[in-house]
Amino acid sequence: MRRGLTLGKFAPFHRGHQMLIETALAEMDELIVMVYATDVTEIPLQIRAGWIQKLYPSVKIIEAWDGPSGYGDTPEIRSEQESYILHKLDGLRITHFYSSEFYGDHVSKALGAVDRRVDEARVKEPISGTKLRENYFAGREYLDPLVYKDLIIKICFLGAPSTGKTTLARTLAEWHNTVWMPEYGAEYWREHQVNRRISLQQFEQIGPEHNKREETLTLQSRKYLFCDTNPITTFMFAKDYHGCAGPVLTQLAKDAEKRYDLFVLCDIDIPYADTWDRSGDQKRKWFQEQIVGDLAERKVPYFLVSGTLDERVSKVNSTLQKFCKFSNIVTVR
């Protein structure tokens, strides 16, 4: 029985880590990955461990929540690390220790295992977690799409027609030098409407394509992705047209409740743009009320932006400055 072990913070999990794990999986009968808690990143241990588990389901994960924080090559640090690893393994026999670091020597000796170094000079995958944390966008070629999309902050703009969603999403994307997701539902409606209507079955096609395009844009994003609506909006339009929504759209609207990091509701305090594809200012008012009610029913938190475009941009940017993607802490003043 050849059982390998590797460990680290994986903050974030990158191609170098993947090469290490894939090498071990090819050589071992079983592989254990010990993931350490750390304060070098805001990304929780569970998420970092989850990346590894999703990409490599056969790997056994050990979550090291109480691991020693010391890092170095002193006798005290070596002893502390070795004792902790042996304690977490709880007698489990390791035959090979995989790493790309200097500690491969003393940890493998403590385990009585083969010291298996992989690309220690960083020739095949010239990247490090420290370098990536400086700029995820610049180093995205070293990150699996599964990982990179989790690092992007996704902001969704909701509101009735003619509330400034598109303008705000596009303007903020330009402000932050990133991309934005246009409202696919509006595009689909313009191409397929007959007498200003589309069928219930046609509504079922909008959500999947919206999400598909959004996934593509997420991988092109620089820190933020600003989204002009989501399947919840399409769900609301389906109910308006037909009194109900189909099963696909209903599920995608449910999934959208947790798909975004921030929801922004655009107010109806700006002049109504009475274009051919809209149904009047009075309908804008009660459709906005329906959206607010739907968000309340879904228990989806959001913040309202009002006023001029500059005022709305300022409020969103102020919120983003204080926002931490992986924290649920709310500061009350």
Side-chain angles (χ1 to χ4, degrees):
M1 178 68 173
R2 294 171 299 174
R3 180 182 291 119
L5 170 69
T6 189
L7 52 81
K9 299 182 294 289
F10 307 106
F13 186 65
H14 55 68
R15 298 293 185 191
H17 298 136
Q18 289 187 256
M19 181 175 64
L20 186 72
I21 288 177
E22 289 167 9
T23 300
L25 286 173
E27 298 174 354
M28 296 291 103
D29 300 306
E30 182 178 291
L31 178 63
I32 297 171
V33 179
M34 192 177 297
V35 184
Y36 279 69
T38 178
D39 59 4
V40 304
T41 180
E42 63 185 30
I43 307 170
L45 189 157
Q46 299 100 317
I47 291 177
R48 289 179 280 118
W51 292 331
I52 300 170
Q53 197 73 82
K54 289 173 185 175
L55 290 170
Y56 305 101
S58 65
V59 163
K60 178 181 177 181
I61 301 288
I62 295 179
E63 296 184 355
W65 286 97
D66 54 347
S69 58
Y71 181 83
D73 199 21
T74 68
E76 294 77 15
I77 292 175
R78 289 198 301 268
S79 176
E80 185 181 25
Q81 292 283 359
E82 292 164 10
S83 297
Y84 180 78
I85 294 167
L86 290 169
H87 169 71
K88 294 297 287 186
L89 290 172
D90 193 25
L92 196 63
R93 176 81 172 95
I94 301 297
T95 62
H96 295 70
F97 180 65
Y98 286 80
S99 75
S100 302
E101 303 285 349
F102 69 90
Y103 55 71
D105 177 58
H106 73 85
V107 172
S108 59
K109 288 177 180 176
L111 293 169
V114 174
D115 178 7
R116 183 71 173 90
R117 308 284 178 95
V118 178
D119 195 29
E120 187 173 9
R122 306 295 196 276
V123 174
K124 295 181 180 179
E125 296 291 351
I127 195 61
S128 69
T130 302
K131 189 68 175 176
L132 280 170
R133 289 191 295 273
E134 294 174 0
N135 190 333
Y136 291 135
F137 181 78
R140 66 193 187 280
E141 65 181 288
Y142 296 104
L143 295 167
D144 187 273
L146 176 76
V147 175
Y148 190 73
K149 71 178 184 179
D150 269 358
L151 302 174
I152 298 300
I153 297 172
K154 297 173 71 173
I155 303 99
C156 182
F157 297 97
L158 300 175
S162 190
T163 51
K165 302 182 297 296
T166 299
T167 301
L168 186 55
R170 180 175 58 239
T171 302
L172 281 161
E174 293 171 355
W175 182 287
H176 292 279
N177 192 24
T178 186
V179 296
W180 67 287
M181 173 65 196
E183 182 183 4
Y184 175 66
E187 175 188 328
Y188 184 95
W189 185 89
R190 286 191 292 268
E191 292 179 356
H192 296 89
Q193 60 85 22
V194 177
N195 297 323
R196 300 170 61 87
R197 309 289 289 184
I198 60 174
S199 69
L200 192 62
Q201 185 56 43
Q202 286 176 306
F203 270 108
E204 292 284 80
Q205 300 174 29
I206 296 174
E209 180 62 21
H210 179 101
N211 285 357
K212 179 182 177 181
R213 294 186 181 193
E214 191 179 276
E215 289 291 318
T216 299
L217 287 170
T218 301
L219 299 178
Q220 301 170 18
S221 299
R222 185 192 297 267
K223 190 173 182 179
Y224 302 113
L225 175 63
F226 298 98
C227 302
D228 182 357
T229 76
N230 66 19
I232 292 177
T233 299
T234 309
F235 173 87
M236 297 298 296
F237 274 110
K239 287 186 67 177
D240 179 45
Y241 276 42
H242 301 286
C244 64
V248 172
L249 181 55
T250 299
Q251 183 59 53
L252 290 180
K254 179 67 177 175
D255 296 342
E257 296 171 11
K258 296 183 178 180
R259 185 177 173 87
Y260 304 88
D261 298 290
L262 289 170
F263 286 87
V264 181
L265 181 65
C266 295
D267 205 349
I268 59 173
D269 64 332
I270 59 176
Y272 180 75
D274 193 11
T275 57
W276 73 272
D277 56 337
R278 291 171 176 160
S279 303
D281 192 23
Q282 185 60 36
K283 185 164 185 177
R284 177 175 74 157
K285 293 176 181 178
W286 65 257
F287 197 77
Q288 183 84 340
E289 293 175 359
Q290 289 189 14
I291 291 173
V292 171
D294 182 76
L295 291 171
E297 183 179 7
R298 295 178 185 277
K299 296 182 173 61
V300 172
Y302 64 90
F303 68 94
L304 181 71
V305 291
S306 308
T308 66
L309 176 60
D310 286 345
E311 290 171 333
R312 294 177 178 213
V313 168
S314 178
K315 184 163 186 179
V316 174
N317 280 337
S318 176
T319 301
L320 291 177
Q321 287 176 2
K322 296 176 286 187
F323 180 75
C324 178
K325 179 178 175 71
F326 298 103
S327 172
N328 295 325
I329 297 174
V330 177
T331 302
V332 179
R333 294 184 177 179

